[in-house]
Amino acid sequence: MPRALWKGAISFGLVTVPIGLHSAIEAREELAFNLLHKKDGSRIVQKRFCKEEDAEVPWSDVVKGYQYAKDEYVVLTDEDFEKARVPATQMFEIRAFVPAAEVEDLYFDHPYYVSPEGRSAVKGYGLLRDALREAGRLGIGTIVLRQREHLGALEPVGDALVLTTMRFAHEIRSPKDLDLPGKNWTEKEMKLARQLMDSLSDKWNPKEFRDTYTDVLREVIEAKVKGREIVTPEQPQRPRMANIMKALEASLKEQPRQLAKAAGRRTHAGASTRSRKRRKAA
């Protein structure tokens, strides 16, 4: 079993279940780039520079400071951060069990697998997992990770419990300032749109989707390294139709799978999270 990133316990009522957290996602494969001097191709290096002394500062002299007023800082040490620890830092206390379908997807952030820690945790873990599944609810509480308190949601996924950190309400922007349309479609347009959606419907298979942009970019890099000519792939020309009715009718005449392929169907890690509400609301 991989080493837990965090160890503590889940509590609800007087029940306590010792647990460990393990990241549920792999670090995304990204191509790393360095900044170079355009003139000679040499690496650009960032330095820790003190404006007061006009000198570079070694890491041993760097401390953390909080700006409480303009150009006024208070320095916090490792001991200060330790003093800020409270008992809740090792506990995920469930404060409410809420219907899963009532929680908007934009609140969810980073998922962690939850594992039972020790034989004494096994029964409570299984009971909580299966009770959440039967009730169709999420266990909502708070947890401290990396010196920051997070809202969290506990839910069953297969045989595992998953704890997903969440955004607090004050972190979610309101869409009220967006110029959003009301019902501006006809019943016939809606019928055609539903038919097109039905023709593209499929079972969720995450292995069908890849980060094609990174794959193509890697090919470009390899070609430059080997001195080969870079051939830009031709992009399929998709006709643009201002009339949505005509666009829907033309789409239904095409092969739906070809349309999907031409659109370059992609996904990312959050897709499984976004499906949560639809799955449980069904």
Side-chain angles (χ1 to χ4, degrees):
M1 177 181 295
R3 184 178 179 182
L5 302 173
W6 179 95
K7 287 187 178 182
I10 296 171
S11 72
F12 57 105
L14 298 178
V15 179
T16 300
V17 182
I19 63 161
L21 293 185
H22 310 261
S23 181
I25 60 176
E26 295 285 353
R28 182 173 179 177
E29 181 185 9
E30 294 184 353
L31 299 176
F33 296 91
N34 295 309
L35 298 178
L36 306 177
H37 187 187
K38 183 178 179 179
K39 180 180 178 181
D40 54 24
S42 60
R43 178 92 174 264
I44 301 297
V45 180
Q46 295 182 345
K47 295 184 178 181
R48 298 167 298 280
F49 193 78
C50 176
K51 293 190 298 182
E52 187 70 22
E53 298 181 3
D54 193 26
E56 186 177 354
V57 179
W59 269 117
S60 58
D61 289 342
V62 176
V63 296
K64 292 181 179 180
Y66 176 79
Q67 182 173 280
Y68 62 90
K70 184 174 176 58
D71 296 329
E72 296 291 337
Y73 299 86
V74 59
V75 173
L76 292 179
T77 65
D78 291 340
E79 291 75 15
D80 294 323
F81 284 108
E82 284 296 322
K83 292 175 183 177
R85 292 172 65 89
V86 294
T89 57
Q90 297 305 116
M91 183 73 68
F92 176 71
E93 181 179 358
I94 298 177
R95 302 183 184 180
F97 292 98
V98 304
E102 291 184 2
V103 184
E104 288 85 355
D105 298 333
L106 52 79
Y107 280 95
F108 294 94
D109 190 11
H110 189 103
Y112 295 89
Y113 284 124
V114 179
S115 64
E117 289 291 317
R119 295 180 62 184
S120 63
V122 172
K123 187 170 185 177
Y125 182 99
L127 178 64
L128 178 57
R129 175 198 62 203
D130 297 340
L132 286 170
R133 178 176 289 113
E134 289 189 15
R137 293 179 179 268
L138 304 176
I140 304 295
T142 55
I143 186 172
V144 176
L145 297 172
R146 301 181 185 90
Q147 300 174 340
R148 179 189 170 190
E149 187 175 47
H150 298 264
L151 191 64
L154 191 69
E155 67 172 325
V157 177
D159 291 334
L161 279 171
V162 171
L163 176 64
T164 303
T165 56
M166 304 174 70
R167 301 174 182 90
F168 288 99
H170 66 267
E171 297 178 292
I172 304 296
R173 290 180 175 177
S174 171
K176 62 181 179 62
D177 295 328
L178 301 178
D179 185 16
L180 303 176
K183 180 180 176 180
N184 58 351
W185 38 266
T186 66
E187 293 299 330
K188 185 176 181 179
E189 289 169 341
M190 175 58 71
K191 181 179 179 180
L192 291 175
R194 292 296 300 270
Q195 288 178 3
L196 181 57
M197 290 175 64
D198 289 342
S199 69
L200 289 168
S201 65
D202 201 355
K203 292 183 178 180
W204 166 235
N205 181 6
K207 294 183 179 180
E208 288 185 357
F209 303 88
R210 281 188 56 84
D211 178 7
T212 55
Y213 173 77
T214 299
D215 291 341
V216 173
L217 186 57
R218 192 184 300 280
E219 292 176 5
V220 171
I221 292 172
E222 291 177 357
K224 293 207 71 171
V225 170
K226 296 179 180 179
R228 297 200 309 262
E229 180 183 359
I230 299 173
V231 180
T232 304
E234 292 186 7
Q235 298 295 324
Q237 296 296 319
R238 297 173 60 85
R240 294 187 177 183
M241 298 185 180
N243 186 305
I244 193 169
M245 178 67 77
K246 290 182 178 180
L248 288 168
E249 291 173 341
S251 298
L252 286 168
K253 291 178 181 178
E254 295 288 337
Q255 291 293 327
R257 293 299 167 203
Q258 293 178 0
L259 282 172
K261 185 177 180 180
R265 296 169 63 184
R266 298 179 183 175
T267 189
H268 51 74
S272 58
T273 300
R274 288 200 301 274
S275 68
R276 174 187 295 105
K277 188 163 63 176
R278 293 194 296 271
R279 182 174 67 250
K280 295 195 174 183

